[in-house]
């Protein structure tokens, strides 16, 4: 890497994540549908919890100004999607999916791109020299009553061996390690990809500054992102993790659940996993 615009920076991935969110009309415009009473209630409660913290800990003007400067820089770096998805989304997801009887899900995070092309030969697009361990993943999508879902769809996206996502870091082919897979007549699917590596959120931006100032770490365990869907069923957003990852127990985004940890078996020069999904019918 010789020039700044060829390097993966927090500001570049943040800008991409912000742009991506702006193109998601249903999410970006959702605010129009929130009634005034609800805004009043939620905004007041959040502000009250800030006042409590200020009083309890006698927050100083220096600390208040540090917060103001930091909030300004989060916006300048385009890191609001990253900040919110790392430190807030997991509780929103918990509340949103609490009623489900089928698969556990987890957070989407900032790097999903809709409409990934269909996989060819059940294989995710990758570079000729894509580094990593080959992963063969088989499973079935069923409804909670056990019925296999032949019109099931899995959108899969994940980071490469350097922890970088296509379309959010430079010099990676557009749909690298992103694809849409379909179930067969028996609800079964087969996916060929690469096992992702543990992942550090960008440390050179505002989120990184908070992490350093607080003495935290920036790691997420290695993970595969999926959106699993079928006609008449609730969309499942999930991530799958690998056993023994040192960050399964202290994920910075708090998005690991025991039900989402795979059980890979060595096979040839790679690993195989069997993991199936159970979807909740729409109410
Ligand atoms: C990621 O890859 C991710 O999955 C989350 C939740 C936050 C930042 C980067
Ligand atoms: Fe991720």
């Amino acid at each position: 890497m010789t020039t700044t615009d060829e390097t993966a920076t927090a500001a570049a991935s943040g800008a991409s994540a912000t742009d991506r969110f702006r193109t998601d009309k249903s999410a970006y415009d959702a605010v129009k549908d929130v009634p005034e009473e609800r805004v009043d209630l939620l905004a007041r409660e959040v502000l009250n919890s800030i006042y409590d913290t200020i009083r309890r800990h006698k927050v100083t003007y220096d600390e208040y100004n540090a917060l103001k400067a930091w909030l300004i820089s989060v916006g300048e770096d385009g890191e609001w999607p990253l900040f919110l998805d790392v430190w807030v989304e997991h509780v929103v997801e918990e509340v949103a999916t609490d009623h489900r009887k089928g698969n556990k899900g987890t957070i989407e995070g900032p790097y999903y791109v809709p409409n990934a092309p269909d996989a060819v030969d059940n294989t995710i697009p990758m570079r000729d020299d894509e580094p990593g361990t080959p992963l063969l993943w088989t499973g079935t999508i069923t409804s909670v009553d056990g019925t296999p879902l032949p019109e099931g769809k899995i959108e899969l996206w994940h980071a490469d061996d350097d922890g970088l996502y296509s379309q959010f870091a430079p010099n990676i082919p557009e749909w690298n390690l992103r694809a849409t897979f379909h179930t067969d007549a028996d609800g079964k699917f087969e996916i060929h990809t690469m096992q992702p590596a543990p992942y550090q959120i960008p440390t050179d931006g505002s989120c990184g500054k908070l992490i350093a100032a607080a003495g935290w770490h920036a790691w997420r365990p290695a993970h595969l992102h999926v959106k699993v869907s079928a006609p008449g069923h609730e969309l499942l957003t999930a991530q799958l993790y690998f056993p023994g990852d040192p960050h399964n127990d202290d994920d910075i985004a708090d998005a690991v659940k025991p039900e989402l940890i795979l059980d890979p078996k060595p096979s040839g020069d790679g690993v195989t996993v069997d993991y199936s999904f159970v979807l909740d019918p729409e109410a």
Side-chain angles (χ1 to χ4, degrees), residues 81-82 85-86 89 107-111 157 159 163 165 199-202 220 223 225 239 251-253 255:
L82 181 65
D85 295 350
V86 167
E89 189 187 353
I107 64 174
E108 174 176 320
Y111 302 141
W157 74 102
Y165 285 85
Y199 173 89
Q200 216 176 359
I201 72 160
R220 297 216 59 223
H223 57 280
H225 290 270
Q239 298 178 32
D251 176 12
I252 190 179

Side-chain angles (χ1 to χ4, degrees), residues 188-209:
K188 294 188 186 307
F189 63 86
E190 178 179 315
I191 292 171
H192 295 262
T193 188
M194 286 288 170
Q195 187 170 331
Y199 173 89
Q200 216 176 359
I201 72 160
T203 53
D204 62 316
S206 308
C207 292
K209 257 189 232 155

Side-chain angles (χ1 to χ4, degrees), residues 38-49:
R38 184 80 175 160
V39 178
D40 175 41
L41 174 73
L42 299 182
R44 204 148 30 83
E45 277 202 18
V46 169
L47 288 169
N48 281 339
S49 62

Side-chain angles (χ1 to χ4, degrees), residues 4 11 53 81 97 100 105 122 132 139 167-168 182-185 192 196 224 229 244 248 260 266 269 281:
T4 45
T53 301
T97 61
R100 288 192 183 172
N122 297 319
Q167 302 190 37
F168 297 87
H182 298 271
T183 52
D184 67 15
H192 295 262
L224 300 163
S229 56
N248 282 344
L260 299 174
D269 62 348

Side-chain angles (χ1 to χ4, degrees), residues 151-172:
E151 288 178 86
K153 187 172 98 172
I154 299 178
E155 293 173 85
L156 172 65
W157 74 102
H158 62 86
D160 67 13
D161 206 49
D162 293 323
L164 300 174
Y165 285 85
S166 62
Q167 302 190 37
F168 297 87
N171 302 328
I172 303 176

